Amino acid sequence: MDPMSGPHLIRGSVALPEAELAWRFSRSSGPGGQHVNTSDSRVELSFDLARTEALPEVWKRRALERLAGRLVDGVITVRAAEHRSQWRNREAAAVRLAALLAEATVPPPKPRRPTRIPRGINERRLREKKQRAETKRGRQGRDWG
C-alpha cells in the first residue's frame, strides 16, 4: 500500500474535500490483547453535506434528498473498525464515504419510453390464438371409442 493514498474520488474529477472531513478516534469494541486498551483504532468520519462547497449544487441537492435518513443536522457520518490499525480504518472510512456520496449523487435514470408492438405481430398472435381454440374445440364432445 502507498504511504498515504491520494484524494478519494467520488465521481469524475470531484474528490472528498480533505479540509472538510472531521475525524474522531475511539477504542474499538470486541476482544483483543494487551494492545486493545491503549489503541484508538476505531474511526468516525464526518462530512458536513449541507454546508460543503466541494460538490456541484445539483449533486448536493440529490445527496441531501437521498441520504436524508442518515443525516444529523446535514452531517453524514461513517464508521470503520474492522482493521486493527487506525490508518487502515481511516482508509476504509474514506472509501466508504466516497462510495456513499458517489451512489447518492448519480443522476436519476432516464424515463423508459414504452415501445409499441408492431400491428403485424399482434395480428399474428390473435390468428394463432383462434387456431388453437379451433383445435381444442375440435377435441370436445366426441366419443373416441
Side-chain angles (χ1 to χ4, degrees), residues 15-139:
L16 280 178
E18 210 58 54
E20 293 181 31
L21 301 178
W23 298 92
R24 270 187 58 213
F25 307 104
S26 56
R27 296 188 189 143
S28 291
S29 61
Q34 291 92 326
H35 182 63
V36 78
N37 300 325
T38 56
S39 62
D40 290 344
S41 60
R42 187 172 86 179
V43 174
E44 267 188 35
L45 171 59
S46 301
F47 175 60
D48 196 337
L49 190 54
R51 291 188 192 79
T52 184
E53 298 293 311
L55 297 180
E57 201 50 48
V58 190
W59 286 25
K60 195 162 129 179
R61 257 200 321 275
R62 266 185 221 142
L64 283 168
E65 213 171 277
R66 292 182 186 161
L67 298 173
R70 284 197 60 166
L71 297 176
V72 179
D73 297 330
V75 177
I76 182 103
T77 305
V78 290
R79 288 176 197 83
E82 58 268 20
H83 299 293
R84 280 188 58 182
S85 86
Q86 185 194 93
W87 188 82
R88 283 177 65 191
N89 279 331
R90 286 179 71 145
E91 276 296 290
V95 166
R96 210 169 288 168
L97 181 62
L100 199 64
L101 288 174
E103 203 178 305
T105 56
V106 290
K110 286 192 169 64
R112 180 185 169 278
R113 279 189 43 220
T115 51
R116 291 211 33 212
I117 298 170
R119 208 171 74 217
I121 286 182
N122 218 5
E123 285 175 354
R124 190 182 79 196
R125 182 181 64 86
L126 292 173
R127 236 192 348 266
E128 284 173 2
K129 211 171 143 152
K130 270 203 173 69
Q131 189 65 55
R132 189 103 191 102
E134 275 303 307
T135 306
K136 289 187 170 191
R137 210 182 5 255
R139 293 182 188 149

Side-chain angles (χ1 to χ4, degrees), residues 3-21:
M4 190 60 196
S5 69
H8 292 277
L9 290 181
I10 296 174
R11 217 173 54 248
S13 60
V14 181
L16 280 178
E18 210 58 54
E20 293 181 31
L21 301 178

